[in-house]
Amino acid sequence: MDKSTFAGILLAVGGIVAGLLLEGGNLGQILQPTAAMIVFGGTLGAILIQFPLPVVIASFKDLVKVFFDKGQQSNQLVAQLIQFANKARKQGIVSLDSDIASIQEPFLKKALMLAVDGTEPEQLRKMMELELDNQSEEEERVPLVFESAGGFSPTIGIIGAVMGLIQVMQHMDKIEKLAAESPWPLWPPFMESEQPISFSCRPQAS
């Protein structure tokens, strides 16, 4: 478990909520289901257009590793490699066939299977290097999904804000109802004013 990730999320959310409450706001101002539907739904749709579905699914599966990454046991892996090398030197490379089933690392397991099958060392090196390149290319596409989501979400949020503004402008004749339903402290100055509310564009005198 990565404690720093949980601590960072709690600190970020706590800071936002604390700042909102200190300014006299309430959680209802930011916890709006319709806004979440627009932002998250629009962002998900945008990344599905940009990336294939298997890549998107793999990225969300790998998201768990951010919170629960066990890490690689490098010391144990090195000790295992030394053990295999000593055994192959004394008893031959074919003697490692009985140890393949106990190997948990997929890359090492595949390399050892090819070695036991009699693959030439130079050819084995080329095959495993190609495997590493393919694996790196696949792993690089996973974080690109979240990078794209981080780029799309603010734009989708602005679209949602414009949609909300359009709805407000269409109901300006029902200003009292909007003031009662709106969670934002935007309407009291309008309500207290005795002058009619009007919007006009006039050229300023030079």
Side-chain angles (χ1 to χ4, degrees), residues 17-92:
V17 173
L20 176 67
L21 297 178
L22 289 175
E23 290 294 327
N26 58 77
L27 293 179
Q29 295 175 352
I30 57 176
L31 298 179
Q32 300 186 23
T34 53
M37 290 174 59
I38 293 173
V39 175
F40 290 109
T43 302
L44 181 60
I47 62 176
L48 284 174
I49 294 173
Q50 185 175 4
F51 297 95
L53 182 60
V55 176
V56 177
I57 295 176
S59 64
F60 283 102
K61 288 182 179 179
D62 289 345
L63 184 62
V64 181
K65 297 180 181 179
V66 177
F67 304 96
F68 303 100
D69 188 10
K70 298 180 180 178
Q72 295 182 353
Q73 303 294 333
S74 300
N75 295 331
Q76 295 181 5
L77 184 59
V78 171
Q80 191 177 33
L81 287 173
I82 295 175
Q83 179 183 358
F84 290 156
N86 292 331
K87 185 176 181 180
R89 181 171 56 85
K90 295 178 181 179
Q91 304 178 20

Side-chain angles (χ1 to χ4, degrees), residues 173-186:
D173 56 330
K174 302 177 182 179
I175 190 66
E176 295 183 357
K177 182 178 179 181
L178 286 174
E181 295 179 354
S182 175
W184 305 102
L186 181 64

Side-chain angles (χ1 to χ4, degrees), residues 107-176:
F107 183 80
L108 177 59
K109 187 173 185 178
K110 183 175 182 179
L112 197 58
M113 289 175 61
L114 292 172
V116 171
D117 290 340
T119 306
E120 293 294 331
E122 191 64 26
Q123 186 67 22
L124 177 60
R125 176 185 292 272
K126 291 181 180 180
M127 294 175 64
M128 300 317 297
E129 287 178 351
L130 181 60
E131 180 74 17
L132 283 177
D133 292 339
N134 293 334
Q135 184 176 351
S136 299
E137 184 178 354
E138 291 294 329
E139 291 178 351
E140 287 176 357
R141 300 182 69 181
V142 171
L144 287 178
V145 173
F146 296 103
E147 290 181 8
S148 297
F152 286 128
S153 56
T155 304
I156 302 298
I158 293 175
I159 294 175
V162 172
M163 292 171 58
L165 182 60
I166 293 173
Q167 293 296 321
V168 170
M169 298 299 293
Q170 288 180 345
H171 298 85
M172 289 301 293
D173 56 330
K174 302 177 182 179
I175 190 66
E176 295 183 357

